[in-house]
Amino acid sequence: MMVYREGSVLWQTWKRRFIGFSLLFIMLCATVLPVWQNIGIQPTLFLIILYHWSIYRQDLLPAEQLVLMSLILDGVYAYPLGFSAIRLLIGYSLLMTQRRIICHQRFHWVWSGFGIFVAMDTLLFAILLSCVKHEWIGILSLIPGMMLTIGLYPLVVWGLNRFVMKRLPLIS
């Protein structure tokens, strides 16, 4: 009989993945709150976690969780199956190739990189959605949400770091 040990590597891995998945799910739920519909602008808070954890905390964001969350996103927004997976995996792979460059920069450069990442994701989203709808949807209507997402980056990252670092410190 296996005895539960909090210090075991398997337990720590599952704990990290569960907390990471829970935070991703909470951010997804926060994105679809009615308050964003009331003001008419909807940020993509999920991209903040994708960007920040892809660079600094890969242990909290395995690709399997990203695919699972993309399937949940497809269900919430009624996109075709795999729509969000394509979008998020392209962004994730792009970030993983640039991780070493972004990782050691000052915050304002990291934030600028996030702005570029959000702009590229918004363009990719517009292209994919246009392919699904068989007409160009335009990118101008997506700019306010993109700007709000970029503006919320420091606040969300600060809150995430305070929460995550207390519960899941980096393993040396």
Side-chain angles (χ1 to χ4, degrees):
M1 182 173 158
M2 182 181 280
V3 178
Y4 158 76
R5 292 183 317 186
E6 181 137 350
S8 71
V9 174
L10 182 63
W11 170 250
Q12 292 298 323
T13 301
W14 282 104
K15 179 181 169 185
R16 287 177 186 282
R17 289 193 177 191
F18 178 74
I19 290 177
F21 183 79
S22 299
L23 286 173
L24 288 170
F25 191 73
I26 288 169
M27 279 301 189
L28 172 66
C29 292
T31 300
V32 295
L33 287 174
V35 68
W36 304 116
Q37 292 174 352
N38 292 342
I39 62 173
I41 303 172
Q42 185 174 14
T44 312
L45 300 174
F46 192 83
L47 289 179
I48 296 172
I49 292 180
L50 175 66
Y51 181 81
H52 188 70
W53 284 356
S54 293
I55 295 170
Y56 298 108
R57 298 296 303 259
Q58 305 84 22
D59 59 323
L60 298 176
L61 189 66
E64 304 89 36
Q65 278 187 345
L66 199 58
V67 170
L68 181 61
M69 285 306 296
S70 68
L71 294 175
I72 294 170
L73 274 168
D74 290 341
V76 168
Y77 289 111
Y79 295 144
L81 194 61
F83 178 85
S84 297
I86 291 171
R87 176 182 171 199
L88 295 178
L89 288 174
I90 287 173
Y92 182 74
S93 60
L94 175 70
L95 288 171
M96 293 310 288
T97 62
Q98 301 302 314
R99 180 185 168 278
R100 288 186 148 183
I101 297 169
I102 300 170
C103 181
H104 302 290
Q105 301 298 322
R106 294 178 185 239
F107 179 76
H108 65 277
W109 290 112
V110 174
W111 193 9
S112 301
F114 177 70
I116 294 168
F117 172 70
V118 171
M120 290 172 49
D121 180 75
T122 303
L123 181 62
L124 178 64
F125 176 75
I127 291 169
L128 288 173
L129 196 59
S130 295
C131 289
V132 168
K133 292 188 172 194
H134 304 292
E135 64 179 349
W136 178 247
I137 62 157
I139 200 164
L140 293 178
S141 62
L142 302 174
I143 290 177
M146 181 179 77
M147 297 307 289
L148 183 59
T149 304
I150 294 168
L152 288 174
Y153 178 78
L155 180 67
V156 172
V157 166
W158 176 80
L160 278 174
N161 284 340
R162 290 191 48 93
F163 178 79
V164 169
M165 293 308 280
K166 285 183 182 178
R167 284 150 186 84
L168 301 171
L170 288 170
I171 297 174
S172 298

